[in-house]
Amino acid sequence: QKEVEQNSGPLSVPEGAIASLNCTYSDRGSQSFFWYRQYSGKSPELIMSIYSNGDKEDGRFTAQLNKASQYVSLLIRDSQPSDSATYLCAVNNRGSQGNLIFGKGTKLSVKP
Amino acid sequence: DVKVTQSSRYLVKRTGEKVFLECVQDMDHENMFWYRQDPGLGLRLIYFSYDVKMKEKGDIPEGYSVSREKKERFSLILESASTNQTSMYLCASSLLITSSGNTIYFGEGSWLTVV
């Protein structure tokens, strides 16, 4: 059974701090990795995708991938109260065309 | 922008009723998906389709069926609704991909309550 694991949280950080969200996956051959943000009562929206080892930056967000350790993370710099949401990690499901495997999400709370 | 539209946002149905949830995407995506999301259980895939009239079972297909008669439209059918099908249902779409994966885009969700 392929799995994506995330700490459910809640992760609480003060405004302006760096929030670090972590994710591990079981399928060593996975090639595509995604972070989605989901506000309460809303649907998930894509924040970032990453395909190669290393860091990928987009504004205040940085995705980090380490395939050897089967680990992907999302850093949010200068956290804002508007970043308070649940963050879902997703990994491509090899052998199942078009499908992603989602973690259950980490709830982030940014305190003013 | 990718637009995935779920026509019914909030529904209340009685046990035993047949329920249709409709989804339309406007980006000519080959793949379409139906998920349900429940507290503590995360997103669970019900069915997906990679072409017109094609469907594949996901993790929890029991009690559901789907229909894809046109590329842009993917319907989820609850043949006989039960209270344990009360949930938020999410439709999604993506381009046809290889095993390396591709971005999935979600609709706004349909909140179904079965009483």
Side-chain angles (χ1 to χ4, degrees):
Chain A
Q1 181 80 1
K2 298 170 186 172
E3 293 183 335
V4 175
E5 300 284 345
Q6 296 181 255
N7 189 323
S8 62
L11 173 65
S12 184
V13 300
E15 184 174 358
I18 296 175
S20 178
L21 304 162
N22 304 314
C23 172
T24 59
Y25 58 95
S26 62
D27 183 0
R28 183 169 290 277
S30 296
Q31 297 171 282
S32 303
F33 307 87
F34 304 86
W35 282 101
Y36 285 81
R37 177 177 61 200
Q38 186 174 24
Y39 292 115
S40 180
K42 303 293 186 181
S43 61
E45 57 179 332
L46 180 72
I47 299 175
M48 293 188 71
S49 58
I50 186 167
Y51 304 96
S52 303
N53 277 331
D55 294 0
K56 179 181 178 182
E57 188 174 318
D58 183 1
R60 294 187 297 113
F61 298 95
T62 299
Q64 299 175 317
L65 175 60
N66 183 328
K67 290 185 179 179
S69 299
Q70 295 175 239
Y71 177 93
V72 59
S73 64
L74 180 70
L75 301 178
I76 307 174
R77 290 183 300 281
D78 189 24
S79 296
Q80 301 297 310
S82 59
D83 294 325
S84 297
T86 296
Y87 290 80
L88 304 176
C89 173
V91 175
N92 72 292
N93 186 358
R94 292 192 304 153
S96 180
Q97 185 172 351
N99 195 6
L100 299 181
I101 305 170
F102 285 87
K104 293 182 179 179
T106 298
K107 187 171 184 178
L108 173 66
S109 177
V110 181
K111 303 295 186 183
Chain B
D1 279 354
V2 175
K3 186 72 172 179
V4 180
T5 302
Q6 295 181 232
S7 54
S8 300
R9 295 295 314 281
Y10 302 95
L11 306 92
V12 179
K13 298 292 183 180
R14 294 191 182 277
T15 300
E17 276 193 78
K18 191 169 186 176
V19 181
F20 293 87
L21 299 179
E22 305 286 345
C23 175
V24 176
Q25 50 95 3
D26 67 357
M27 287 301 294
D28 202 34
H29 284 171
E30 290 86 0
N31 293 331
M32 296 189 75
F33 308 85
W34 276 106
Y35 295 87
R36 64 177 283 178
Q37 189 174 35
D38 303 285
L41 297 178
L43 279 166
R44 293 183 290 169
L45 181 66
I46 304 171
Y47 269 97
F48 70 100
S49 168
Y50 54 88
D51 199 356
V52 174
K53 297 192 185 295
M54 303 300 290
K55 61 184 179 183
E56 294 283 344
K57 291 181 180 180
D59 301 318
I60 52 164
E62 297 79 17
Y64 303 94
S65 62
V66 291
S67 172
R68 192 160 181 206
E69 296 296 320
K70 294 184 178 181
K71 188 176 185 180
E72 67 271 18
R73 188 178 298 269
F74 193 36
S75 302
L76 180 69
I77 304 156
L78 287 67
E79 295 288 345
S80 177
S82 62
T83 55
N84 63 12
Q85 292 178 310
T86 292
S87 186
M88 181 169 81
Y89 290 87
L90 287 161
C91 177
S93 72
S94 74
L95 289 167
L96 184 66
I97 59 167
T98 65
S99 60
S100 61
N102 206 340
T103 302
I104 287 178
Y105 298 92
F106 288 90
E108 292 184 318
S110 297
W111 292 88
L112 172 66
T113 301
V114 183
V115 297

